[in-house]
Amino acid sequence: MWNMMESRGVSSIIFDLDNTLVDTAGAGRIAIEKVCELLNSMHVQESHIKDICHRFLRKLLHESFDPSEGKTIDDVRIHHWYEALQETQGTDPDPALANSCYDTWKNTRLQVLTLTPEVRSFLEELRKNYKLLLLTNGDTQTQWEKIEAVRCEGLFSLVVVGGDHPEQKPALSIFTHCFESAGVRPKDCIMVGDSLSTDIQGGINARVRATVWINSDCKSLPQDSVTPDYTVPSVLNLNDVLLELS
């Protein structure tokens, strides 16, 4: 059995979650639309609504979260909405409104987030021949809520959330943890993800057999970027890569 794996080259596939297996960006856009509807129904000035949402998204993008400070990620993100309302309207908002914005955004995002039937059946096929690992960056609570919402944990031999560990992708340590926990070697694995700076750079740092960039928008490779070994528009195109590596 081991010799067959040697000759085949790849026995394990490490997947990123957000915007690789599930359309987190798309779910996020729908969640923001729902918050706009909520703010509209609360008679918030129409010219303010888009600005409030943009400010929230900017804060989310630059968020730093340290669980040791005694706050939850929910507290931090409710505060993002509070500040976005405050900055736009120039007055202290009703804290209940910030709470409602957050609940609407979070719950809508989790409800909309899904592993499509095509991706689910593709992963079920892959796991017959490969050991599948899920390696996702992000806060512990947020990422486990997503994993639970899309019911994907059972498809993987190992699920690793960055927030549960001292370092996240592209750090070598979290990849080493994956290899050791799953009993695989870097050269047995390919890393599949949408982020050049975390997934592809991380895979290169970890010396995996090959890196596969999911480029769903068909963007051109930015200047000074790391270069993935393969680029495909969707995980559903992965068979072409696996054939080439066999």
Side-chain angles (χ1 to χ4, degrees), residues 228-244:
D229 296 305
Y230 298 91
T231 300
V232 292
S234 158
V235 287
L236 299 171
N237 302 99
L238 210 49
N239 274 337
D240 304 339
V241 173
L242 292 166
L243 275 171
E244 230 176 287

Side-chain angles (χ1 to χ4, degrees), residues 196 220-227:
L196 292 163
S220 53
L221 207 60
Q223 259 185 323
D224 306 327
S225 158
V226 289
T227 305

